[in-house]
Amino acid sequence: MGVVEGDEARERLTAAGLAYVCAHLDELQDLLTQTLPDPAPIGEAPVLARLQHALTARPVGAGSDPIQEPDLYGLLDELHDALQQAGDRAGVWGNVDPGQRGGPLMGVGREPFEPIYLCPIGECDGRDDVPVAVAPLTCALTGRNIEQDDL
């Protein structure tokens, strides 16, 4: 996607991109692992590993020194390029709608008091349509518990 003008637009895209990657982590990992050169670690796509490391190293609630914070948008952009090179034409950016904050909220349907699932480090848009199979729910990227709230 390249350069995005404005901090707010960049933050929206980053949040939407992280939500997409979190929801599709296994698929993305499989695709990237299949296309890595032989010397790559087994079962590990380097760009995804760097993104996960950047997120798990962040304190809950972030808000720390912006100079030392990793460039999550840059890592997502790198992941986008890697996915396209691996054959996923849409990559990350083709699968997110940066304007979604003006539309329906994630996890919000017509039922009152529907649960919503919040990013444990406050960086992504959260998850919708979470199949509850194991409790507590965990973020695929950080391994931290996903917070649940009601609207």
Side-chain angles (χ1 to χ4, degrees):
M1 176 163 268
V3 177
V4 174
E5 295 295 325
D7 289 340
E8 188 176 320
R10 189 176 171 107
E11 287 174 15
R12 276 197 315 266
L13 276 172
T14 299
L18 288 172
Y20 170 75
V21 173
C22 184
H24 299 278
L25 185 64
D26 289 339
E27 301 162 42
L28 302 177
Q29 181 79 35
D30 288 345
L31 176 64
L32 291 172
T33 302
Q34 292 170 11
T35 59
L36 287 173
D38 283 339
I42 295 173
E44 187 172 297
V47 66
L48 269 179
R50 287 196 316 275
L51 179 62
Q52 285 180 285
H53 177 74
L55 291 167
T56 55
R58 292 175 66 105
V60 175
S64 58
D65 183 4
I67 294 172
Q68 295 186 5
E69 286 186 14
D71 178 13
L72 298 177
Y73 177 85
L75 287 169
L76 286 168
D77 204 36
E78 209 178 312
L79 176 60
H80 172 77
D81 292 341
L83 289 169
Q84 287 188 319
Q85 289 173 7
D88 178 353
R89 297 176 94 178
V92 173
W93 305 129
N95 283 295
V96 300
D97 176 12
Q100 70 188 5
R101 291 192 185 239
L105 295 173
M106 290 275 203
V108 178
R110 294 186 178 106
E111 300 296 319
F113 307 109
E114 183 173 345
I116 58 172
Y117 302 94
L118 307 172
C119 177
I121 60 171
E123 289 295 332
C124 86
D125 286 342
R127 299 277 301 273
D128 64 345
D129 192 27
V130 176
V132 180
V134 178
L137 297 173
T138 57
C139 170
L141 288 167
T142 64
R144 294 181 182 165
N145 289 346
I146 293 177
E147 298 176 36
Q148 180 180 341
D149 201 354
D150 293 323
L151 287 180

